[in-house]
Amino acid sequence: MSGAIGKKHGMNILAGAIAGLLCSAISGQAQESVLRGSVEEDAVNAALVAAQENAALDTLPTGTTHPTTSNTWAGDDPASESGDPFGAQFTDLDDVSVSEELEEEAADSDTLGSFDESDASNEMRGRQLGADRMNTRVAAIGGGGGIVEEDPYAPLGIRFGTFLLFSTLEQGLRWTSNATDSPGGREAVLSETTIGLRAESDWARHRGRINASGTYDKSFAGREISDFEGGVDALLELDLSADYLARGTLAYAVERESATSPLAAVGVERQPFLHTIDGSLGFEKVEGPLLFGVTGEISRDHYGDARLENGDKLSQDDRNSTLALLRLRGGYALSPALTPFIELIGGRRIYDEKRDSAGFERSATQIEARAGVALDFREKLSGEFSAGWVREDFDDSRLDAVSGPSLDASLAWSPMRGTIVALDARTGVEGSSDPGESGSLLHSATLRLERQMRANLTGEAALGAAYRDYSGGGHDLILSGEAVLTWWLNRYAGLTGRLRHERQTSDLPGRDYDTTSVFVGMRFQR
């Protein structure tokens, strides 16, 4: 009997386990139905829209009435038969979609018409998503926001106090068909070295500038040449007040006198060096559209000794002179960019020695009158141009006066970015060392084109013309042309080449010549 009881007990345990498994399966199926059962898509969309609208209402600015505690007035509803606003129907905002607020803001009148609620809801969802979007577009780290250099090959300069210093070094070889630029001159191959220094002030109110350069030529084939020329000039402008400006300049230059100069010593092996010192001090006053200016100028010419064929030296002291001038200018500004002016110039040229080696008194009085216009169209066109008449009367009555038309121009025009066209012209009075000759007028002009063809490739072309009119009759015509190319390897070094040709023709005997030269070298800058 005990075995029957044990068998019965085992069956009960087995039945209980089966029943437990069935209950667990039924419970799991029910839970799965709840978690993974099918739900209509419309219900999900409605739930999402409701959640977004509630979030938008929670972000309403401070002072906006919450829809669960206030009512909205719909007295202007066109469905109302009564025009009395107090008889209007009130509706709880809980029953009105937030999209109605958007429709009210967009309406052009006070009357609410019927609208598509789904469109308003879409607009609301778009605004909310745009305001709450976290993954907005950001700028790239490596590009797009950097500063683009206008000229990546321009020199950086060196800071020196309140000045910025720029330096250049040019070294190369030059071949020339006429080493002395004179009739019958011989060819030569030279080593040419040019050093330049430029300093510009970094002042808030005033302006200062210093330029210095020097070139040394040494031949190692052909005609023996060993020459140096150079100079330095400085400018200082002081803005004294809103109406007053002071300007001062100082310059020094040295070069060997050309063999074809009308002042050149005759019958010498080596022409002397000419040292020139220039200085000026002026003031400008602006009174409304009127401009007044006064400037004092002084120029000193000092000649070294010439060398004769036998090696002896020939003094040139009787050619040393000082020119002092006073310049008066008056102008009227028709506009900030256009100012016509007139200019009167007068002064004396005084020689160190009262009489030259031939017994002539060459000190003279110089007067000049010019009219012109000053232009200031910013970076497009700037400078001035004037024309007039100049006359120089000598103390010695045996010498005829030197007189004639005069020109003075300095214009810079930029027709497009990276291109500059410049025109420089002037008229100068030249003396003479020949007995009985008064001198000459030299009219010269240079037209120059500078073009940045690429960021690292610049080109320059120049055409020059000069006309020398002798007071005793005769004239010289000098024409020249030059082309320059510079290819920058980097910001500090580049390859440069220069081709130049010059020709002089004269109706006086023994003055015709022509010269062609080619230069190839390296240019360094800092």
Side-chain angles (χ1 to χ4, degrees):
M1 178 171 292
S2 60
I5 294 173
K7 183 177 181 180
K8 184 177 179 181
H9 182 67
M11 293 297 291
N12 291 335
I13 293 175
L14 181 60
I18 293 173
L21 290 173
L22 291 174
C23 291
S24 177
I26 295 172
S27 176
Q29 182 67 28
Q31 184 177 4
E32 183 178 0
S33 298
V34 172
L35 296 176
R36 301 174 57 186
S38 61
V39 180
E40 292 184 2
E41 185 177 356
D42 293 341
V44 174
N45 290 338
L48 291 175
V49 171
Q52 292 170 355
E53 290 179 348
N54 290 334
L57 291 175
D58 291 339
T59 60
L60 290 175
T62 304
T64 304
T65 306
H66 196 279
T68 58
T69 59
S70 303
N71 294 326
T72 184
W73 175 52
D76 291 337
D77 190 345
S80 176
E81 296 181 359
S82 173
D84 185 3
F86 296 100
Q89 180 181 0
F90 286 83
T91 307
D92 195 317
L93 266 181
D94 287 338
D95 298 332
V96 179
S97 172
V98 177
S99 58
E100 291 182 2
E101 294 182 5
L102 297 173
E103 187 68 9
E104 291 178 0
E105 294 174 358
D108 295 330
S109 64
D110 294 334
T111 303
L112 273 177
S114 62
F115 64 94
D116 190 341
E117 186 173 349
S118 62
D119 291 341
S121 298
N122 290 336
E123 182 179 357
M124 186 65 213
R125 287 199 300 272
R127 290 189 183 183
Q128 184 62 26
L129 289 174
D132 297 340
R133 184 173 181 177
M134 301 298 293
N135 60 336
T136 56
R137 184 183 296 273
V138 295
I141 296 177
I147 299 176
V148 179
E149 291 188 79
E150 182 176 353
D151 187 356
Y153 293 89
L156 296 175
I158 302 173
R159 174 68 62 178
F160 185 77
T162 59
F163 281 84
L164 197 60
L165 304 181
F166 301 90
S167 59
T168 60
L169 170 64
E170 191 173 89
Q171 175 62 54
L173 299 177
R174 180 169 64 93
W175 171 85
T176 175
S177 63
N178 190 338
T180 56
D181 292 338
S182 62
R186 293 184 298 163
E187 67 177 353
V189 179
L190 309 96
S191 170
E192 184 171 291
T193 304
T194 301
I195 298 176
L197 178 66
R198 176 167 54 94
E200 295 183 356
S201 66
D202 189 17
W203 303 334
R205 183 174 179 179
H206 310 299
R207 183 167 75 100
R209 186 194 68 226
I210 301 175
N211 291 319
S213 65
T215 299
Y216 177 70
D217 290 329
K218 176 65 177 177
S219 64
F220 57 87
R223 174 69 183 264
E224 182 181 354
I225 295 293
S226 179
D227 275 339
F228 172 82
E229 66 177 33
V232 58
D233 63 84
L235 167 71
L236 177 62
E237 287 186 352
L238 300 178
D239 189 3
L240 302 179
S241 67
D243 300 329
Y244 289 92
L245 176 69
R247 180 185 293 108
T249 64
L250 184 63
Y252 166 76
V254 56
E255 63 178 349
R256 189 173 296 279
E257 187 176 33
S258 172
T260 56
S261 168
L263 297 173
V266 180
V268 300
E269 174 68 16
R270 198 77 175 270
Q271 294 295 330
F273 277 106
L274 170 60
H275 304 265
T276 303
I277 301 175
D278 296 320
S280 68
L281 179 62
F283 296 90
E284 292 183 3
K285 162 69 174 174
V286 177
E287 187 67 36
L290 298 177
L291 171 67
F292 303 97
V294 54
T295 302
E297 300 176 357
I298 188 168
S299 179
R300 168 72 177 174
D301 289 340
H302 182 85
Y303 290 86
D305 294 334
R307 191 177 68 184
L308 302 176
E309 294 181 357
N310 60 5
D312 293 341
K313 294 182 179 180
L314 178 63
S315 175
Q316 303 292 305
D317 289 346
D318 61 337
R319 298 170 60 190
N320 298 336
S321 64
T322 301
L323 176 64
L325 298 173
L326 181 65
R327 186 186 304 265
L328 302 176
R329 173 180 287 201
Y332 186 87
L334 300 178
S335 70
L338 192 65
T339 305
F341 64 86
I342 58 174
E343 200 168 55
L344 300 177
I345 305 169
R348 285 276 297 173
R349 188 189 301 273
I350 304 174
Y351 282 82
D352 291 357
E353 298 184 4
K354 185 175 181 180
R355 298 180 183 272
D356 64 7
S357 58
F360 289 89
E361 298 182 19
R362 294 195 173 270
S363 295
T365 300
Q366 185 178 121
I367 57 173
E368 185 177 2
R370 290 201 301 251
V373 59
L375 306 173
D376 185 9
F377 291 90
R378 304 289 182 174
E379 69 279 356
K380 296 300 293 183
L381 178 62
S382 61
E384 64 180 46
F385 174 85
S386 62
W389 192 269
V390 60
R391 180 181 177 89
E392 187 167 294
D393 290 307
F394 295 93
D395 292 348
D396 197 320
S397 59
R398 293 174 295 174
L399 298 175
D400 296 332
V402 177
S403 63
S406 66
L407 296 173
D408 188 79
S410 179
L411 297 171
W413 173 47
S414 180
M416 65 181 67
R417 187 182 184 89
T419 301
I420 297 177
V421 180
L423 173 65
D424 293 300
R426 66 179 302 271
T427 296
V429 179
E430 298 178 322
S432 177
S433 58
D434 295 336
E437 291 291 337
S438 301
S440 59
L441 281 179
L442 178 64
H443 310 279
S444 59
T446 302
L447 180 64
R448 190 176 303 275
L449 170 65
E450 298 178 8
R451 173 65 179 167
Q452 186 173 8
M453 294 174 283
R454 296 181 58 185
N456 63 339
L457 181 62
T458 59
E460 182 178 326
L463 294 175
Y467 183 81
R468 180 179 286 116
D469 185 16
Y470 294 95
S471 61
H475 67 268
D476 297 337
L477 177 63
I478 305 121
L479 300 176
S480 63
E482 185 178 60
V484 183
L485 278 178
T486 302
W487 177 37
W488 292 103
L489 305 176
N490 51 49
R491 190 187 290 271
Y492 306 101
L495 300 173
T496 185
R498 181 171 62 247
L499 174 64
R500 177 178 173 81
H501 180 76
E502 181 176 301
R503 175 186 294 271
Q504 174 174 292
T505 57
S506 176
D507 55 5
L508 300 178
R511 295 190 56 79
D512 294 352
Y513 75 91
D514 64 85
T515 302
T516 300
S517 62
V518 179
F519 173 86
V520 177
M522 291 284 296
R523 183 179 178 87
F524 306 91
Q525 66 179 12
R526 182 67 174 89

